[in-house]
Amino acid sequence: MQARLLRREVLPFLAGISALVVATLLLDALLHVFNAVWVGRYLGIPGTLLIIASTVYSLRKRKLIQSGQPAQLLRWHEGLAWLGSLLVLVHAGIHFNAILGWLAVVAMLVNVISGLTGKFLLDRSRQRLAEAQQRMRRQGLSAAELEERSYWDSLTFDAVRKWRVIHFPITLAFAGLALAHIIAVFLFWGWK
């Protein structure tokens, strides 16, 4: 059971984070090899636009927009946020010139890790609840008995679903710091 948990839950989570780190290092190395490090300075713009585009899923979940299938939009949200984070990390590189840049990147990384954590927690709890209910159905329990026995599991699943209550303020903190960074760039960049 523990090996299965490690393989099905922990390794995909770590692989998602590791893939982001490795892709960032590879892209940064390519820019150095081709003497195009200056390109990294501008990757923050498309990275930020991709992250902004990924919020369409959140708008749909909050019913602020009506179009789009939530499951498809969730996949786009995950992919666009990952790619945008990759570009922003390459943009940041290891040459931070101000504390605001550091704070924005740290907030972005916390946001990405929060998103991945929520994804895996929610998938895991949904799967465990469905398996428990299937097992009880096979035992021939009535609907009332099934509801009574899965009451605490259902409450736990609902609590895990509320992880978004934590993810949303983290996202807002990242957005605020990123916006402050962008404003600082416009104010202090040498636009010669």
Side-chain angles (χ1 to χ4, degrees):
M1 179 71 171
Q2 287 180 353
R4 198 171 110 206
L5 177 66
L6 179 68
R7 186 181 72 246
R8 289 179 60 190
E9 306 301 328
V10 177
L11 290 180
F13 175 76
L14 292 176
I17 293 171
S18 298
L20 183 61
V21 170
V22 168
T24 300
L25 293 173
L26 286 174
L27 188 53
D28 191 56
L30 282 172
L31 290 177
H32 279 84
V33 165
F34 291 109
N35 201 24
V37 176
W38 62 271
V39 171
R41 183 177 206 180
Y42 300 98
L43 289 179
I45 297 166
T48 301
L49 293 175
L50 287 170
I51 291 171
I52 290 170
S54 79
T55 63
V56 169
Y57 168 73
S58 298
L59 296 174
R60 175 70 170 101
K61 286 292 281 187
R62 287 169 180 74
K63 298 182 183 355
L64 296 173
I65 61 171
Q66 300 299 317
S67 61
Q69 297 296 321
Q72 179 66 31
L73 290 174
L74 176 59
R75 285 190 291 278
W76 277 97
H77 171 74
E78 293 168 352
L80 291 173
W82 189 92
L83 185 59
S85 297
L86 168 69
L87 295 178
V88 168
L89 285 172
V90 173
H91 163 73
I94 55 170
H95 356 275
F96 291 105
N97 298 326
I99 190 71
L100 192 53
W102 278 100
L103 291 174
V105 169
V106 168
M108 183 190 70
L109 288 173
V110 169
N111 196 27
V112 168
I113 290 169
S114 168
L116 286 172
T117 301
K119 174 186 180 203
F120 287 108
L121 281 176
L122 194 56
D123 288 348
R124 173 95 170 132
S125 62
R126 181 180 292 125
Q127 179 185 9
R128 289 194 74 120
L129 181 60
E131 287 172 358
Q133 289 176 340
Q134 283 277 24
R135 196 169 44 254
M136 288 186 267
R137 279 190 197 100
R138 284 194 302 265
Q139 293 172 354
L141 296 178
S142 68
E145 290 174 315
L146 178 67
E147 185 177 332
E148 183 181 325
R149 287 199 182 175
S150 62
Y151 174 76
W152 290 107
D153 287 340
S154 296
L155 283 180
T156 303
F157 177 66
D158 288 341
V160 170
R161 285 179 49 194
K162 294 194 184 343
W163 140 86
R164 290 181 187 102
V165 172
I166 296 168
H167 186 62
F168 189 69
I170 292 171
T171 302
L172 288 179
F174 164 56
L177 288 166
L179 184 61
H181 171 68
I182 292 166
I183 290 170
V185 166
F186 280 110
L187 289 176
F188 299 113
W189 189 330
W191 294 96
K192 299 172 189 164

